[in-house]
Amino acid sequence: MARRKKIYEGKAKILYEGPEPGTLVQYFKDDATAFNAEKRATIEGKGVLNNRLSEFFMTGLSNIGVPNHFIKRLNMREQLIRQVEIIPLEVIVRNFAAGSMAKRLGLEEGTPLPRPIVEFSYKDDALGDPLVPEEYIIAFGWASQQDMDDIVALALRVNDFLTGVMFGVGIKLVDFKIEIGRIWDNDYMRLIVADEISPDSCRLWDIETGQKLDKDVFRRDLGNLTDAYTEVARRLGVLPSNVTHAAKPHVIN
Ligand SMILES: Nc1ncnc2c1ncn2[C@@H]1O[C@H](COP(=O)(O)OP(=O)(O)OP(=O)(O)O)[C@@H](O)[C@H]1O
Ligand SMILES: [Mg+2]
């Protein structure tokens, strides 16, 4: 079999050329990084869990009409996705203060916010993904005003969906990050959710105990990361062993 062409290798995933034009294969690695890759580790099983969990969330989004890149899962670590042109932003939605926001504003972690707050970081590892105002984004041409309105609307729909799904299994969605990409149907451009949705990119706290079930377990040395992600997967019914419960991919054209 001919070797697949590697398109990009990031910190957590590898992208390979897909079987058809406009598709990619996304491979989930076991590597974990934090603090702009100053802290690194390989955490056995993380990639398998994130592949499953991202499939679960993206399929759920498709089912409520939120467009995203997921096409189908291929195996334990790989999924077929639509290739997009990534907008160089981390789109962050916060429901409770935590992490950099808590630090910046001197808020106690867990303080409820008056409403969901959407913020943007410019994706540039060398600069440490700095927070940027919408005005910069438009002035520098990374996205138009219309794009930004669409991105905020998409982000808030993802927030409502994820908040509800997580609440249903006793987990509080504190905040999360998504990436958005452009696809073209002839001359018509659309924005869709891309990258991944997993405990690597969310803050998830047990509603009863406050126990952290996300990448902060790794960032702050709070225990075994795979155990935390396994707990999320178990509650959602998407454990790797539980193949028959996996949601069927549903593609919206
Ligand atoms: N559907 C898609 N089409 C094209 N690129 C994508 C798609 N989904 C995600 N990507 C990009 O693929 C890469 C995934 O790799 P990974 O998350 O490991 O990167 P990373 O090390 O976090 O680096 P980056 O700072 O670029 O995100 C990211 O650069 C992401 O923006
Ligand atoms: Mg990434």
Side-chain angles (χ1 to χ4, degrees):
M1 200 178 88
R3 254 194 94 165
R4 294 183 294 188
K5 191 172 158 207
K6 193 192 272 189
I7 307 279
Y8 180 84
E9 175 153 7
K11 296 181 289 288
K13 303 184 290 295
I14 306 173
L15 299 179
Y16 296 98
E17 203 171 66
E20 283 155 39
T23 66
L24 295 172
V25 173
Q26 181 165 247
Y27 175 100
F28 287 77
K29 304 196 284 187
D30 280 343
D31 297 352
T33 61
F35 310 118
N36 205 16
E38 277 170 36
K39 179 171 180 173
R40 294 165 181 273
T42 302
I43 291 160
E44 207 175 319
K46 181 177 83 89
V48 173
L49 285 157
N50 281 352
N51 186 30
R52 279 285 182 171
L53 284 164
S54 202
E55 172 191 14
F56 176 80
F57 295 125
M58 295 291 185
T59 305
L61 287 173
S62 292
N63 287 339
I64 61 162
V66 179
N68 65 81
H69 73 169
F70 182 81
I71 301 173
K72 68 172 181 182
R73 189 170 54 79
L74 299 171
N75 56 50
M76 297 274 278
R77 285 186 186 273
E78 294 178 329
Q79 51 183 250
L80 185 66
I81 58 174
R82 288 189 71 164
Q83 181 165 27
V84 302
E85 183 185 299
I86 290 284
I87 295 183
L89 297 174
E90 301 208 329
V91 179
I92 300 155
V93 184
R94 301 177 180 275
N95 298 304
F96 298 86
S100 61
M101 177 194 240
K103 206 169 153 190
R104 195 178 314 117
L105 301 181
L107 293 172
E108 193 184 334
E109 286 213 311
T111 306
L113 300 174
R115 61 180 175 85
I117 293 178
V118 185
E119 65 181 41
F120 309 95
S121 296
Y122 178 52
K123 266 171 67 72
D124 185 318
D125 282 343
L127 297 175
D129 299 332
L131 190 68
V132 285
E134 202 170 304
E135 195 175 358
Y136 286 23
I137 298 168
I138 291 161
F140 288 115
W142 302 325
S144 68
Q145 182 65 63
Q146 176 65 56
D147 293 338
M148 293 311 289
D149 294 347
D150 293 349
I151 288 170
V152 169
L154 272 175
L156 292 174
R157 289 180 77 192
V158 173
N159 186 46
D160 284 346
F161 170 75
L162 285 182
T163 299
V165 168
M166 298 316 300
F167 182 75
V169 297
I171 294 173
K172 186 194 278 193
L173 178 67
V174 174
D175 56 34
F176 66 93
K177 167 232 135 178
I178 51 173
E179 292 182 24
I180 305 285
R182 302 177 193 282
I183 52 168
W184 276 271
D185 296 321
N186 298 316
D187 280 347
Y188 182 69
M189 189 275 292
R190 285 199 299 149
L191 295 169
I192 69 173
V193 178
D195 199 49
E196 70 177 284
I197 300 177
S198 76
D200 268 11
S201 53
C202 302
R203 280 200 173 88
L204 305 171
W205 297 358
D206 182 86
I207 286 173
E208 296 292 324
T209 66
Q211 190 194 353
K212 291 183 173 48
L213 298 169
D214 56 63
K215 208 167 95 175
D216 274 344
V217 172
F218 168 70
R219 289 191 194 95
R220 303 178 189 188
D221 296 318
L222 300 176
N224 185 305
L225 192 74
T226 309
D227 288 352
Y229 288 20
T230 302
E231 175 63 13
V232 175
R234 188 191 65 74
R235 291 195 197 183
L236 294 169
V238 290
L239 262 184
S241 57
N242 202 3
V243 180
T244 51
H245 283 219
K248 281 219 171 63
H250 177 86
V251 184
I252 291 179
N253 292 307

